[in-house]
Amino acid sequence: MQLYNTLSAEERKALIAEAGLDRLTISFYAYHQIGNPSLFRDYLFIHWNDLEVLGRIYVAHEGINAQLSVPAIHFNAFKAHLDSITFLENVRLNIAIEQDNFSFLKLKVKVRHKIVADGLNDASFDVTNKGVHLDAEKFNDIIEDPNTVLVDMRNHYESEIGHFKNAITPDVDTFRDSLDLIEEDLRAHKEDKNLVMYCTGGIRCEKASAYYKHKGFKNVFQLEGGIIEYARQVKNKGLENKFIGKNFVFDHRRAERISEDVIAHCHQCGNSCDTHVNCANEACHLLFIQCPTCANAMDDCCSDACKEVHNLPFEEQKALRKGKTVSNKIFKKGRSEVLKYKH
């Protein structure tokens, strides 16, 4: 029985284009004790592969975290399958604001130690003892309260292109880096301030809210459904939008525009720009912000060295990569020393 992808990303992209079917980009998560993540992984792959689901799904003992796309004509069948799983019945689905049929090109269901890496001992706190969920209207109200501290639970490269007004945006590379940093900075306000958090779709805030309650914070809140659901509610209910810029997303789109504000800058020249790209040199693949002018001058690369490699014949590039893994520069997400403006 097939439990893996048999087509390359390019082959799948061609099939999607040929089919001409609209696809929906969706994300969801659920914290739940899963006894056998490997068995559950195989079960999902078998059923979702038949529905032509593509995406990146993580399964762990603590639950599931999914970002995926599904043909619109199969959405009802997909939703029915989710509802047939006890802990996923009526789970909130964050449907993307900006749709793209090529947001995902493979189905990857992976077993992980955790669905959100936190560097914590899970036995130390109850992840289900979460903070109060706020819809967009209540969120807008509470962040205007002078007794509220608003914290962005995402990483620096996410908040760089978009965030809520007056939010604290920690300069961190990973979620695990932010937990202790925020606790230390807000230690004096555990009882007298509202700690309000937000992230992309809610999954990081869900764990963070339980963690901070465990650490003694008395008034802990989170934006339900994250920025994705907030943008949807703002549009549908005619609410004031207090998010400026783009919302970074973890698929081929890389971001959804929430407001027309451009708050970031090209990492190579400093011009106003909020477009994330990956370096065209496959041996680098660094994520950074690049404007069209620099993209043209640098052949979509992050540095002169990568440009030189990228312009070599394909077979020479392949030979240079042989036996090597992609450098962890890719995880610096814009901190690389080759990005002149960033430094």
Side-chain angles (χ1 to χ4, degrees), residues 10-21:
E10 288 304 314
E11 289 172 326
R12 177 66 69 178
K13 189 173 184 178
L15 287 178
I16 292 172
E18 183 180 343
L21 298 175

Side-chain angles (χ1 to χ4, degrees), residues 210-269:
Y211 177 73
Y212 290 128
K213 288 182 69 176
H214 172 72
K215 287 293 186 176
F217 286 84
K218 301 301 182 184
N219 305 302
V220 182
F221 303 85
Q222 70 179 90
L223 177 59
E224 183 175 15
I227 302 163
I228 297 173
E229 179 61 18
Y230 175 86
R232 183 173 303 283
Q233 290 183 22
V234 163
K235 180 179 180 181
N236 292 342
K237 297 180 179 180
L239 304 174
E240 180 184 358
N241 174 34
K242 298 191 177 185
F243 188 93
I244 54 175
K246 282 181 174 181
N247 179 29
F248 187 95
V249 294
F250 295 88
D251 59 56
H252 289 289
R253 296 172 301 150
R254 299 194 182 93
E256 293 181 325
R257 182 161 294 287
I258 309 299
S259 83
E260 294 306 312
D261 305 273
V262 178
I263 66 172
H265 302 272
C266 174
H267 287 168
Q268 292 176 315
C269 71

Side-chain angles (χ1 to χ4, degrees), residues 7 68 76 79 83 85 102 113 169-170 189 252 287 322:
L7 298 177
L68 52 86
N76 289 338
K79 180 64 169 64
D83 288 341
I85 301 170
F102 306 101
H113 178 56
T169 56
H189 301 293
H252 289 289
L287 181 73
K322 188 175 181 180

Side-chain angles (χ1 to χ4, degrees), residues 54-80:
L54 303 172
R56 186 187 307 110
I57 299 92
Y58 297 142
V59 176
H61 284 294
E62 68 176 8
I64 180 172
N65 179 17
Q67 295 91 38
L68 52 86
S69 78
V70 60
I73 60 172
H74 292 164
F75 175 77
N76 289 338
F78 174 72
K79 180 64 169 64

